Amino acid sequence: MEGQLTNRFCHACGNQLDPRAEICPKCGVRQLGKNGQGEKNRVAAALFAIFLGGLGIHKFYLGQVGMGIVYLIFFWSVIPVIVGFVEGVIYLTMSDADFMIKYG
């Protein structure tokens, strides 16, 4: 369908929103906007975690700079690679609403 908009979710309460909504009608919280202005892409985070998880790139992408630095400190060991891969799989199996509530 031409012009069809994708669903969005409130970053505060997880309520499904009209894609054009600026304020959540359920909780009244102003929404941050399209990707690049607060919303994170679940698939991008998962790909970063799976392929660059040893460097913590997915943590930086999700705004968790402290954890990203921990991954960088221990990048020489296998542990961040394994944890990053597992986190990538978790991101892929999460629903969009759950991902937005936790990382949005």
Side-chain angles (χ1 to χ4, degrees):
M1 223 172 153
E2 188 176 350
Q4 184 178 7
L5 301 174
T6 59
N7 291 332
R8 290 180 53 207
F9 298 93
C10 175
H11 67 271
C13 70
N15 184 42
Q16 185 172 347
L17 302 172
D18 183 292
R20 300 164 294 194
E22 292 183 21
I23 297 175
C24 176
K26 183 177 179 183
C27 67
V29 174
R30 181 171 297 281
Q31 301 305 298
L32 298 175
K34 291 293 181 193
N35 286 341
Q37 297 177 350
E39 292 184 11
K40 303 297 182 189
N41 186 315
R42 179 178 57 88
V43 176
L47 292 175
F48 285 145
I50 290 169
F51 294 110
L52 299 171
L55 298 173
I57 301 302
H58 62 295
K59 293 296 186 182
F60 289 107
Y61 176 73
L62 295 173
Q64 300 174 342
V65 177
M67 284 302 296
I69 291 172
V70 170
Y71 277 66
L72 280 175
I73 290 171
F74 293 101
F75 81 95
W76 53 270
S77 71
V78 178
I79 295 168
V81 175
I82 295 169
V83 173
F85 183 81
V86 170
E87 287 177 333
V89 171
I90 290 170
Y91 298 157
L92 286 175
T93 59
M94 271 184 171
S95 70
D96 286 335
D98 290 340
F99 183 83
M100 287 308 296
I101 289 170
K102 190 167 184 179
Y103 301 105

mmCIF file of all heavy atoms in Angstrom, residues 53-92:
data_model
loop_
_atom_site.group_PDB
_atom_site.id
_atom_site.type_symbol
_atom_site.label_atom_id
_atom_site.label_comp_id
_atom_site.label_asym_id
_atom_site.label_seq_id
_atom_site.Cartn_x
_atom_site.Cartn_y
_atom_site.Cartn_z
ATOM 1 N N GLY A 53 30.573 -7.186 18.319
ATOM 2 C CA GLY A 53 30.301 -7.265 19.750
ATOM 3 C C GLY A 53 31.539 -7.274 20.613
ATOM 4 O O GLY A 53 31.520 -6.770 21.728
ATOM 5 N N GLY A 54 32.622 -7.805 20.105
ATOM 6 C CA GLY A 54 33.863 -7.840 20.875
ATOM 7 C C GLY A 54 34.415 -6.462 21.162
ATOM 8 O O GLY A 54 35.139 -6.268 22.133
ATOM 9 N N LEU A 55 34.061 -5.493 20.338
ATOM 10 C CA LEU A 55 34.504 -4.111 20.539
ATOM 11 C C LEU A 55 33.461 -3.264 21.258
ATOM 12 O O LEU A 55 33.706 -2.106 21.571
ATOM 13 C CB LEU A 55 34.845 -3.463 19.193
ATOM 14 C CG LEU A 55 35.992 -4.115 18.429
ATOM 15 C CD1 LEU A 55 36.123 -3.488 17.046
ATOM 16 C CD2 LEU A 55 37.293 -3.988 19.197
ATOM 17 N N GLY A 56 32.276 -3.827 21.473
ATOM 18 C CA GLY A 56 31.227 -3.105 22.191
ATOM 19 C C GLY A 56 30.519 -2.052 21.366
ATOM 20 O O GLY A 56 29.872 -1.163 21.927
ATOM 21 N N ILE A 57 30.610 -2.129 20.050
ATOM 22 C CA ILE A 57 30.005 -1.126 19.191
ATOM 23 C C ILE A 57 28.498 -1.039 19.436
ATOM 24 O O ILE A 57 27.920 0.053 19.431
ATOM 25 C CB ILE A 57 30.294 -1.431 17.703
ATOM 26 C CG1 ILE A 57 31.801 -1.478 17.447
ATOM 27 C CG2 ILE A 57 29.612 -0.436 16.793
ATOM 28 C CD1 ILE A 57 32.545 -0.217 17.796
ATOM 29 N N HIS A 58 27.855 -2.164 19.691
ATOM 30 C CA HIS A 58 26.408 -2.154 19.933
ATOM 31 C C HIS A 58 26.061 -1.387 21.204
ATOM 32 O O HIS A 58 25.024 -0.739 21.282
ATOM 33 C CB HIS A 58 25.858 -3.584 19.980
ATOM 34 C CG HIS A 58 26.412 -4.432 21.074
ATOM 35 N ND1 HIS A 58 27.747 -4.812 21.137
ATOM 36 C CD2 HIS A 58 25.822 -4.977 22.164
ATOM 37 C CE1 HIS A 58 27.936 -5.553 22.209
ATOM 38 N NE2 HIS A 58 26.779 -5.673 22.852
ATOM 39 N N LYS A 59 26.925 -1.433 22.190
ATOM 40 C CA LYS A 59 26.680 -0.699 23.435
ATOM 41 C C LYS A 59 26.775 0.811 23.200
ATOM 42 O O LYS A 59 25.966 1.580 23.713
ATOM 43 C CB LYS A 59 27.659 -1.128 24.528
ATOM 44 C CG LYS A 59 27.463 -2.560 24.988
ATOM 45 C CD LYS A 59 26.107 -2.736 25.627
ATOM 46 C CE LYS A 59 25.961 -4.119 26.225
ATOM 47 N NZ LYS A 59 24.639 -4.329 26.804
ATOM 48 N N PHE A 60 27.765 1.239 22.416
ATOM 49 C CA PHE A 60 27.862 2.653 22.074
ATOM 50 C C PHE A 60 26.634 3.088 21.282
ATOM 51 O O PHE A 60 26.081 4.164 21.503
ATOM 52 C CB PHE A 60 29.140 2.937 21.284
ATOM 53 C CG PHE A 60 30.384 2.844 22.112
ATOM 54 C CD1 PHE A 60 31.252 1.776 21.967
ATOM 55 C CD2 PHE A 60 30.700 3.816 23.049
ATOM 56 C CE1 PHE A 60 32.409 1.676 22.722
ATOM 57 C CE2 PHE A 60 31.850 3.734 23.822
ATOM 58 C CZ PHE A 60 32.708 2.658 23.654
ATOM 59 N N TYR A 61 26.183 2.254 20.341
ATOM 60 C CA TYR A 61 25.013 2.566 19.528
ATOM 61 C C TYR A 61 23.768 2.735 20.395
ATOM 62 O O TYR A 61 22.939 3.617 20.146
ATOM 63 C CB TYR A 61 24.789 1.456 18.495
ATOM 64 C CG TYR A 61 23.533 1.634 17.670
ATOM 65 C CD1 TYR A 61 23.461 2.607 16.684
ATOM 66 C CD2 TYR A 61 22.431 0.832 17.874
ATOM 67 C CE1 TYR A 61 22.315 2.781 15.930
ATOM 68 C CE2 TYR A 61 21.279 0.987 17.131
ATOM 69 C CZ TYR A 61 21.225 1.969 16.154
ATOM 70 O OH TYR A 61 20.083 2.131 15.415
ATOM 71 N N LEU A 62 23.639 1.908 21.432
ATOM 72 C CA LEU A 62 22.476 1.976 22.316
ATOM 73 C C LEU A 62 22.613 3.034 23.399
ATOM 74 O O LEU A 62 21.735 3.185 24.236
ATOM 75 C CB LEU A 62 22.225 0.604 22.950
ATOM 76 C CG LEU A 62 21.821 -0.494 21.963
ATOM 77 C CD1 LEU A 62 21.774 -1.843 22.661
ATOM 78 C CD2 LEU A 62 20.487 -0.168 21.315
ATOM 79 N N GLY A 63 23.720 3.759 23.412
ATOM 80 C CA GLY A 63 23.911 4.835 24.374
ATOM 81 C C GLY A 63 24.468 4.387 25.710
ATOM 82 O O GLY A 63 24.482 5.152 26.666
ATOM 83 N N GLN A 64 24.938 3.166 25.793
ATOM 84 C CA GLN A 64 25.519 2.642 27.025
ATOM 85 C C GLN A 64 27.039 2.737 26.936
ATOM 86 O O GLN A 64 27.753 1.741 26.817
ATOM 87 C CB GLN A 64 25.063 1.202 27.243
ATOM 88 C CG GLN A 64 23.566 1.055 27.354
ATOM 89 C CD GLN A 64 23.116 -0.385 27.421
ATOM 90 O OE1 GLN A 64 23.853 -1.300 27.074
ATOM 91 N NE2 GLN A 64 21.883 -0.593 27.855
ATOM 92 N N VAL A 65 27.544 3.955 27.025
ATOM 93 C CA VAL A 65 28.965 4.224 26.802
ATOM 94 C C VAL A 65 29.850 3.519 27.819
ATOM 95 O O VAL A 65 30.897 2.972 27.464
ATOM 96 C CB VAL A 65 29.216 5.748 26.811
ATOM 97 C CG1 VAL A 65 30.686 6.055 26.649
ATOM 98 C CG2 VAL A 65 28.397 6.426 25.719
ATOM 99 N N GLY A 66 29.433 3.483 29.073
ATOM 100 C CA GLY A 66 30.227 2.825 30.105
ATOM 101 C C GLY A 66 30.453 1.350 29.801
ATOM 102 O O GLY A 66 31.577 0.843 29.899
ATOM 103 N N MET A 67 29.392 0.669 29.415
ATOM 104 C CA MET A 67 29.533 -0.745 29.057
ATOM 105 C C MET A 67 30.360 -0.897 27.779
ATOM 106 O O MET A 67 31.116 -1.859 27.646
ATOM 107 C CB MET A 67 28.156 -1.389 28.870
ATOM 108 C CG MET A 67 27.445 -1.676 30.168
ATOM 109 S SD MET A 67 28.368 -2.762 31.275
ATOM 110 C CE MET A 67 28.428 -4.261 30.328
ATOM 111 N N GLY A 68 30.228 0.035 26.852
ATOM 112 C CA GLY A 68 31.038 -0.006 25.637
ATOM 113 C C GLY A 68 32.521 0.077 25.956
ATOM 114 O O GLY A 68 33.346 -0.623 25.360
ATOM 115 N N ILE A 69 32.875 0.905 26.917
ATOM 116 C CA ILE A 69 34.278 1.043 27.325
ATOM 117 C C ILE A 69 34.764 -0.248 27.986
ATOM 118 O O ILE A 69 35.895 -0.682 27.751
ATOM 119 C CB ILE A 69 34.442 2.260 28.255
ATOM 120 C CG1 ILE A 69 34.225 3.548 27.440
ATOM 121 C CG2 ILE A 69 35.818 2.261 28.916
ATOM 122 C CD1 ILE A 69 34.168 4.806 28.262
ATOM 123 N N VAL A 70 33.904 -0.882 28.786
ATOM 124 C CA VAL A 70 34.274 -2.169 29.407
ATOM 125 C C VAL A 70 34.558 -3.206 28.321
ATOM 126 O O VAL A 70 35.536 -3.947 28.396
ATOM 127 C CB VAL A 70 33.167 -2.654 30.369
ATOM 128 C CG1 VAL A 70 33.422 -4.087 30.822
ATOM 129 C CG2 VAL A 70 33.055 -1.727 31.560
ATOM 130 N N TYR A 71 33.715 -3.245 27.285
ATOM 131 C CA TYR A 71 33.947 -4.178 26.177
ATOM 132 C C TYR A 71 35.273 -3.871 25.494
ATOM 133 O O TYR A 71 36.015 -4.790 25.124
ATOM 134 C CB TYR A 71 32.808 -4.087 25.158
ATOM 135 C CG TYR A 71 31.586 -4.900 25.505
ATOM 136 C CD1 TYR A 71 30.806 -4.595 26.608
ATOM 137 C CD2 TYR A 71 31.197 -5.961 24.715
ATOM 138 C CE1 TYR A 71 29.676 -5.323 26.917
ATOM 139 C CE2 TYR A 71 30.066 -6.707 25.002
ATOM 140 C CZ TYR A 71 29.322 -6.385 26.109
ATOM 141 O OH TYR A 71 28.205 -7.115 26.405
ATOM 142 N N LEU A 72 35.594 -2.580 25.315
ATOM 143 C CA LEU A 72 36.864 -2.215 24.677
ATOM 144 C C LEU A 72 38.064 -2.617 25.528
ATOM 145 O O LEU A 72 39.095 -3.033 24.999
ATOM 146 C CB LEU A 72 36.911 -0.707 24.410
ATOM 147 C CG LEU A 72 36.168 -0.225 23.177
ATOM 148 C CD1 LEU A 72 36.194 1.300 23.118
ATOM 149 C CD2 LEU A 72 36.764 -0.814 21.919
ATOM 150 N N ILE A 73 37.935 -2.480 26.834
ATOM 151 C CA ILE A 73 39.050 -2.843 27.717
ATOM 152 C C ILE A 73 39.349 -4.336 27.622
ATOM 153 O O ILE A 73 40.509 -4.746 27.635
ATOM 154 C CB ILE A 73 38.728 -2.438 29.178
ATOM 155 C CG1 ILE A 73 38.740 -0.918 29.299
ATOM 156 C CG2 ILE A 73 39.712 -3.071 30.149
ATOM 157 C CD1 ILE A 73 38.236 -0.399 30.638
ATOM 158 N N PHE A 74 38.299 -5.160 27.496
ATOM 159 C CA PHE A 74 38.477 -6.606 27.463
ATOM 160 C C PHE A 74 38.349 -7.205 26.065
ATOM 161 O O PHE A 74 38.152 -8.408 25.923
ATOM 162 C CB PHE A 74 37.473 -7.280 28.411
ATOM 163 C CG PHE A 74 37.738 -6.977 29.854
ATOM 164 C CD1 PHE A 74 36.977 -6.024 30.518
ATOM 165 C CD2 PHE A 74 38.752 -7.605 30.542
ATOM 166 C CE1 PHE A 74 37.221 -5.720 31.848
ATOM 167 C CE2 PHE A 74 39.012 -7.314 31.859
ATOM 168 C CZ PHE A 74 38.243 -6.365 32.527
ATOM 169 N N PHE A 75 38.518 -6.378 25.017
ATOM 170 C CA PHE A 75 38.333 -6.877 23.651
ATOM 171 C C PHE A 75 39.308 -7.994 23.295
ATOM 172 O O PHE A 75 39.018 -8.825 22.444
ATOM 173 C CB PHE A 75 38.442 -5.739 22.627
ATOM 174 C CG PHE A 75 39.842 -5.364 22.279
ATOM 175 C CD1 PHE A 75 40.445 -5.908 21.161
ATOM 176 C CD2 PHE A 75 40.561 -4.477 23.061
ATOM 177 C CE1 PHE A 75 41.747 -5.568 20.832
ATOM 178 C CE2 PHE A 75 41.853 -4.129 22.735
ATOM 179 C CZ PHE A 75 42.443 -4.679 21.616
ATOM 180 N N TRP A 76 40.464 -8.035 23.939
ATOM 181 C CA TRP A 76 41.484 -9.037 23.636
ATOM 182 C C TRP A 76 41.072 -10.437 24.079
ATOM 183 O O TRP A 76 41.591 -11.438 23.587
ATOM 184 C CB TRP A 76 42.807 -8.656 24.307
ATOM 185 C CG TRP A 76 42.657 -8.409 25.776
ATOM 186 C CD1 TRP A 76 42.373 -7.230 26.376
ATOM 187 C CD2 TRP A 76 42.720 -9.383 26.813
ATOM 188 N NE1 TRP A 76 42.255 -7.397 27.742
ATOM 189 C CE2 TRP A 76 42.477 -8.715 28.041
ATOM 190 C CE3 TRP A 76 42.961 -10.747 26.850
ATOM 191 C CZ2 TRP A 76 42.467 -9.361 29.264
ATOM 192 C CZ3 TRP A 76 42.952 -11.392 28.087
ATOM 193 C CH2 TRP A 76 42.719 -10.697 29.268
ATOM 194 N N SER A 77 40.118 -10.509 25.012
ATOM 195 C CA SER A 77 39.653 -11.830 25.455
ATOM 196 C C SER A 77 38.447 -12.258 24.614
ATOM 197 O O SER A 77 37.881 -11.483 23.874
ATOM 198 C CB SER A 77 39.275 -11.804 26.936
ATOM 199 O OG SER A 77 38.085 -11.076 27.132
ATOM 200 N N VAL A 78 38.051 -13.469 24.738
ATOM 201 C CA VAL A 78 36.939 -14.012 23.965
ATOM 202 C C VAL A 78 35.592 -13.653 24.596
ATOM 203 O O VAL A 78 34.564 -13.684 23.924
ATOM 204 C CB VAL A 78 37.089 -15.551 23.856
ATOM 205 C CG1 VAL A 78 35.943 -16.171 23.099
ATOM 206 C CG2 VAL A 78 38.406 -15.902 23.201
ATOM 207 N N ILE A 79 35.594 -13.257 25.851
ATOM 208 C CA ILE A 79 34.349 -13.036 26.588
ATOM 209 C C ILE A 79 33.445 -11.996 25.924
ATOM 210 O O ILE A 79 32.258 -12.269 25.716
ATOM 211 C CB ILE A 79 34.649 -12.679 28.061
ATOM 212 C CG1 ILE A 79 35.313 -13.877 28.740
ATOM 213 C CG2 ILE A 79 33.379 -12.278 28.795
ATOM 214 C CD1 ILE A 79 35.907 -13.579 30.087
ATOM 215 N N PRO A 80 33.924 -10.789 25.554
ATOM 216 C CA PRO A 80 33.020 -9.826 24.915
ATOM 217 C C PRO A 80 32.454 -10.313 23.582
ATOM 218 O O PRO A 80 31.327 -9.965 23.226
ATOM 219 C CB PRO A 80 33.889 -8.583 24.706
ATOM 220 C CG PRO A 80 34.981 -8.700 25.682
ATOM 221 C CD PRO A 80 35.227 -10.174 25.821
ATOM 222 N N VAL A 81 33.211 -11.120 22.859
ATOM 223 C CA VAL A 81 32.717 -11.660 21.589
ATOM 224 C C VAL A 81 31.529 -12.580 21.836
ATOM 225 O O VAL A 81 30.492 -12.485 21.163
ATOM 226 C CB VAL A 81 33.843 -12.404 20.840
ATOM 227 C CG1 VAL A 81 33.303 -13.070 19.591
ATOM 228 C CG2 VAL A 81 34.979 -11.460 20.501
ATOM 229 N N ILE A 82 31.667 -13.462 22.818
ATOM 230 C CA ILE A 82 30.587 -14.405 23.138
ATOM 231 C C ILE A 82 29.367 -13.663 23.666
ATOM 232 O O ILE A 82 28.234 -13.899 23.224
ATOM 233 C CB ILE A 82 31.076 -15.464 24.152
ATOM 234 C CG1 ILE A 82 32.169 -16.327 23.517
ATOM 235 C CG2 ILE A 82 29.917 -16.318 24.655
ATOM 236 C CD1 ILE A 82 32.894 -17.212 24.494
ATOM 237 N N VAL A 83 29.586 -12.742 24.594
ATOM 238 C CA VAL A 83 28.476 -11.979 25.169
ATOM 239 C C VAL A 83 27.805 -11.134 24.093
ATOM 240 O O VAL A 83 26.570 -11.052 24.033
ATOM 241 C CB VAL A 83 28.960 -11.111 26.351
ATOM 242 C CG1 VAL A 83 27.857 -10.190 26.845
ATOM 243 C CG2 VAL A 83 29.472 -11.981 27.479
ATOM 244 N N GLY A 84 28.590 -10.513 23.216
ATOM 245 C CA GLY A 84 28.027 -9.720 22.127
ATOM 246 C C GLY A 84 27.167 -10.551 21.195
ATOM 247 O O GLY A 84 26.088 -10.125 20.772
ATOM 248 N N PHE A 85 27.632 -11.756 20.874
ATOM 249 C CA PHE A 85 26.853 -12.640 20.009
ATOM 250 C C PHE A 85 25.528 -13.009 20.659
ATOM 251 O O PHE A 85 24.467 -12.960 20.026
ATOM 252 C CB PHE A 85 27.651 -13.901 19.670
ATOM 253 C CG PHE A 85 26.929 -14.823 18.736
ATOM 254 C CD1 PHE A 85 26.936 -14.577 17.378
ATOM 255 C CD2 PHE A 85 26.235 -15.918 19.217
ATOM 256 C CE1 PHE A 85 26.258 -15.411 16.509
ATOM 257 C CE2 PHE A 85 25.549 -16.759 18.359
ATOM 258 C CZ PHE A 85 25.567 -16.506 16.994
ATOM 259 N N VAL A 86 25.583 -13.353 21.950
ATOM 260 C CA VAL A 86 24.358 -13.715 22.677
ATOM 261 C C VAL A 86 23.408 -12.519 22.732
ATOM 262 O O VAL A 86 22.192 -12.660 22.516
ATOM 263 C CB VAL A 86 24.695 -14.240 24.089
ATOM 264 C CG1 VAL A 86 23.446 -14.380 24.940
ATOM 265 C CG2 VAL A 86 25.441 -15.556 24.001
ATOM 266 N N GLU A 87 23.932 -11.325 23.006
ATOM 267 C CA GLU A 87 23.084 -10.136 23.035
ATOM 268 C C GLU A 87 22.464 -9.864 21.668
ATOM 269 O O GLU A 87 21.302 -9.459 21.581
ATOM 270 C CB GLU A 87 23.886 -8.923 23.505
ATOM 271 C CG GLU A 87 24.189 -8.955 24.976
ATOM 272 C CD GLU A 87 25.051 -7.801 25.439
ATOM 273 O OE1 GLU A 87 25.830 -7.257 24.630
ATOM 274 O OE2 GLU A 87 24.926 -7.447 26.620
ATOM 275 N N GLY A 88 23.215 -10.096 20.602
ATOM 276 C CA GLY A 88 22.669 -9.921 19.260
ATOM 277 C C GLY A 88 21.492 -10.839 18.999
ATOM 278 O O GLY A 88 20.474 -10.422 18.439
ATOM 279 N N VAL A 89 21.608 -12.080 19.419
ATOM 280 C CA VAL A 89 20.498 -13.028 19.259
ATOM 281 C C VAL A 89 19.306 -12.580 20.104
ATOM 282 O O VAL A 89 18.151 -12.653 19.660
ATOM 283 C CB VAL A 89 20.950 -14.456 19.625
ATOM 284 C CG1 VAL A 89 19.775 -15.414 19.669
ATOM 285 C CG2 VAL A 89 22.013 -14.943 18.648
ATOM 286 N N ILE A 90 19.565 -12.103 21.298
ATOM 287 C CA ILE A 90 18.482 -11.616 22.161
ATOM 288 C C ILE A 90 17.774 -10.439 21.503
ATOM 289 O O ILE A 90 16.538 -10.370 21.496
ATOM 290 C CB ILE A 90 19.020 -11.243 23.556
ATOM 291 C CG1 ILE A 90 19.419 -12.495 24.319
ATOM 292 C CG2 ILE A 90 17.986 -10.443 24.350
ATOM 293 C CD1 ILE A 90 20.172 -12.234 25.610
ATOM 294 N N TYR A 91 18.528 -9.495 20.933
ATOM 295 C CA TYR A 91 17.919 -8.348 20.256
ATOM 296 C C TYR A 91 17.039 -8.809 19.099
ATOM 297 O O TYR A 91 15.967 -8.258 18.871
ATOM 298 C CB TYR A 91 18.970 -7.384 19.719
ATOM 299 C CG TYR A 91 19.865 -6.745 20.759
ATOM 300 C CD1 TYR A 91 21.109 -6.250 20.408
ATOM 301 C CD2 TYR A 91 19.491 -6.636 22.093
ATOM 302 C CE1 TYR A 91 21.943 -5.662 21.338
ATOM 303 C CE2 TYR A 91 20.323 -6.063 23.030
ATOM 304 C CZ TYR A 91 21.554 -5.573 22.646
ATOM 305 O OH TYR A 91 22.373 -4.989 23.562
ATOM 306 N N LEU A 92 17.493 -9.814 18.364
ATOM 307 C CA LEU A 92 16.717 -10.293 17.221
ATOM 308 C C LEU A 92 15.435 -10.998 17.643
ATOM 309 O O LEU A 92 14.446 -10.987 16.902
ATOM 310 C CB LEU A 92 17.558 -11.233 16.360
ATOM 311 C CG LEU A 92 18.631 -10.570 15.509
ATOM 312 C CD1 LEU A 92 19.459 -11.628 14.800
ATOM 313 C CD2 LEU A 92 18.021 -9.605 14.508
#
